Amino acid sequence: MTPRERIKNVINFKKPDMLPWIESFYDETLMKWAKEGFPIDEVILIEWEVSRSGTLLVNWPTVKGFDPYSYFGCQSFFGCMVPVDIGPIPRFKLRILKENEKYIEILTETGAIAKRFKKAEYTWYSMPMFIDFPVKDRKSWEEYKKRLNPKDPRRYPKDWEKDTYIEIFERYQNGCTLLRITGFYGFGAELMGIPTFNVMFYKDPEFMHDMIEYWEYFTIETIRDAVETLKDRIDMVYWWEDLAEKHGPCISPKIYKEFFLPHYKKVTDFLRKNKIDKIMMDSDGNINPLLDLINEAGINGLWPLEVNSNMDAITIKKKYGNKFFLIGNLDKRELAKGGDAMKKEIDSKVPILKELGGYIPSVDHLVHVEFSFQKFKEYAEYLKKHLIY
């Protein structure tokens, strides 16, 4: 089987010839590994494009990133993606607003203002402190909506030719084909900040209903052309929806059911009418109290299943069976230790989940900088022994 065939078999609860293995790497992890002996020069991706993003009419080689996946023998989570832009158009221009010796304040492309360290060894690990958000009330939401026009032609790439993309999505085999979208909690928290967004469900519920209803309309209409063109050539929908932290969801089941559930169903119904029925939710944290409602919403896949947040793939599998396919749940903290701790983590989960079916092994989030290059190689070699039936 090809990697794509293996992934499709697993998420459809069929037995492949061997388990696929999916990971996603922080770029900063790869750069750290370069200092530890990882051959970055062997995995650099170079593609030809119109020079300098179209500023010169000449074909020119451009570095696009790294491909560590083939080196280690896994597949990228984000294999062949539908290139639809769901961000604000026009973007807010990323720029520095203030700075001193220690901090800088930046305007992000979503319109939020973030404060971060001026110097940090790892940019992603020095999380910014968000100090302002673009949407605060109805008036600012109406203004922001001008940037969320689903009919804006800039949402699709300049090379959007349907027959070409159909061919690409049919021929691709080095992983799954993927449509990424943002969920109803995720978009609100990004535009308003978590405290303001959460309080607004009680302070002005009518405003929240209006805002979430618009996001349903925006999502469906933005992806409509791609979905109706590619249909089941899209293997999986990756629905980003960070709505929980370590101890539980950021919202109650009551709020989820009243405000989100009907809109989830509208989007998942639209996808299924176009033969796309594998819809996976990405949420960090402990989402156990919401799992029944998440499945009722039409979601049938989960990642990353963070161990530190009390998510357990075996428990979920035994309770829900084939209602969810699962990806992740290998504790990144134990894997990064290597040796017996790493082996115990794999041995205690992968053989059981492989037999239960509908499971793809992966670190329970992105591959982080605590992994050394040698420890990840050790993990990769040991895990690959467990992939064969």
Side-chain angles (χ1 to χ4, degrees), residues 179 181 183-184 215-216 219-220 223 227 237-239 241 256 260-281 293-301 324:
L179 169 65
I181 57 178
F184 296 103
W215 192 251
E216 174 209 308
T219 299
I220 291 175
I223 65 176
V227 166
V237 173
Y238 179 106
W239 203 329
E241 184 71 294
Y256 186 99
F260 297 140
L261 185 59
H263 303 289
Y264 268 111
K265 288 181 175 180
K266 292 284 183 64
V267 178
T268 56
D269 285 349
F270 167 70
L271 293 168
R272 287 189 166 90
K273 285 177 183 176
N274 288 279
K275 302 180 180 180
I276 302 169
D277 63 354
K278 298 305 168 189
I279 305 167
M280 188 208 74
M281 190 180 83
L293 290 170
I294 288 168
N295 189 247
E296 184 181 344
I299 305 294
N300 54 13
F324 291 112

Side-chain angles (χ1 to χ4, degrees), residues 185 194 198 241-251 281 283-290 305-311:
Y185 187 85
I194 290 174
N198 281 9
E241 184 71 294
D242 275 352
L243 48 63
E245 48 89 57
K246 180 177 180 178
H247 301 290
C250 298
I251 54 171
M281 190 180 83
S283 180
D284 300 347
N286 184 342
I287 58 173
N288 283 309
L290 296 176
L305 304 170
E306 288 187 297
V307 178
N308 191 43
S309 298
N310 200 35
M311 299 301 297

Side-chain angles (χ1 to χ4, degrees), residues 172-236:
Y172 183 79
Q173 292 298 321
N174 197 34
C176 68
T177 59
L178 200 72
L179 169 65
R180 286 203 296 188
I181 57 178
T182 295
F184 296 103
Y185 187 85
F187 107 94
E190 284 292 303
L191 298 189
M192 300 185 79
I194 290 174
T196 302
F197 189 53
N198 281 9
V199 169
M200 201 64 72
F201 288 107
Y202 304 93
K203 186 177 179 181
D204 194 344
E206 185 179 343
F207 172 33
M208 289 294 93
H209 280 299
D210 290 346
M211 191 172 177
I212 293 166
E213 182 177 0
Y214 186 83
W215 192 251
E216 174 209 308
Y217 158 77
F218 172 78
T219 299
I220 291 175
E221 294 308 315
T222 299
I223 65 176
R224 181 180 293 281
D225 194 15
V227 166
E228 292 180 347
T229 296
L230 297 171
K231 296 188 182 293
D232 58 356
R233 298 176 185 90
I234 299 172
D235 300 333
M236 185 194 306

